[in-house]
Amino acid sequence: MAMASTRLERRTGSDRTATVEALRARLRGMQQAAPQHGVPSLDAAAPAGLDDVVRRLRSGAVHSIDSRGLALVCMGAAMPAGSWGAIVGMPDLGIEAARDLGVPIERIALVPHPGRAWLDAVASLVEAMPVVLAASPGRVAPTDAARLVARLRQASSTLLVAGPWAGAATTVRSVRAEWQGLEDGDGRIASGDLLVEVGSGGAAQLARIPLLEPRAAAAAAGHGALGPTAARPAA
């Protein structure tokens, strides 16, 4: 099945309302056979250690992740097997890079340009998708944020925001990346590890995410996709 791509930024007023309602109906149709869940379930192919992060990303809440690449890794691991997900507000998303980071891109609905309809689009998507990833829209009014969280709770869905979100239930931050196979800067990347910090109210905890796929590691190192760290050989 081809990816769903919907553009909302060109519509206003009643046209935008009609578009959002059409999107909601279409996505409900996609999800008729999708399993219900209360906590994002780990994909069987999720790298060891990633479960420490995904278990903190409870349903019915918004979670802030500091980089797009790390958010994609978390999304791929959190999506229940066979389900659909959605990515909002990432018009320059690299499809192959997302796939290398574990996202089942063939089951992703894309809304690259939500524009002013960001809240409407996300609220509609979380009704039909167990996991939605969205680029941070910047400041959101507290009343709008509360309504969105209420929608998430009602649908038992999880919203991952790549970037800041005031009042996020969990924040995930990249700490350090280490790469194997660089041979003092002259070799080729074979694999890598990403150290992340996960906070959700109490003391933050550290988790290590292996990046076992060489292409994913190379993409992350070459484009800085997983956080503000320079590639360096591991000891």
Side-chain angles (χ1 to χ4, degrees), residues 67-93:
S67 72
R68 178 187 299 188
L70 179 55
L72 289 167
V73 170
C74 291
M75 180 185 198
M79 286 178 60
S83 70
W84 276 69
I87 297 178
V88 180
M90 298 185 182
D92 58 344
L93 177 69

Side-chain angles (χ1 to χ4, degrees), residues 160-171:
L160 308 179
V161 173
W165 182 271
T170 307
T171 58

Side-chain angles (χ1 to χ4, degrees), residues 148-202:
L148 180 57
V149 170
R151 189 77 64 90
L152 286 163
R153 289 173 178 165
Q154 183 177 20
S156 294
S157 296
T158 302
L159 175 60
L160 308 179
V161 173
W165 182 271
T170 307
T171 58
V172 184
R173 183 179 69 85
S174 306
V175 176
R176 183 175 67 252
E178 297 177 345
W179 308 108
Q180 291 78 48
L182 290 178
E183 298 177 0
D184 297 325
D186 296 325
R188 308 185 88 178
I189 292 174
S191 62
D193 292 318
L194 182 68
L195 187 67
V196 301
E197 182 181 76
V198 186
S200 54

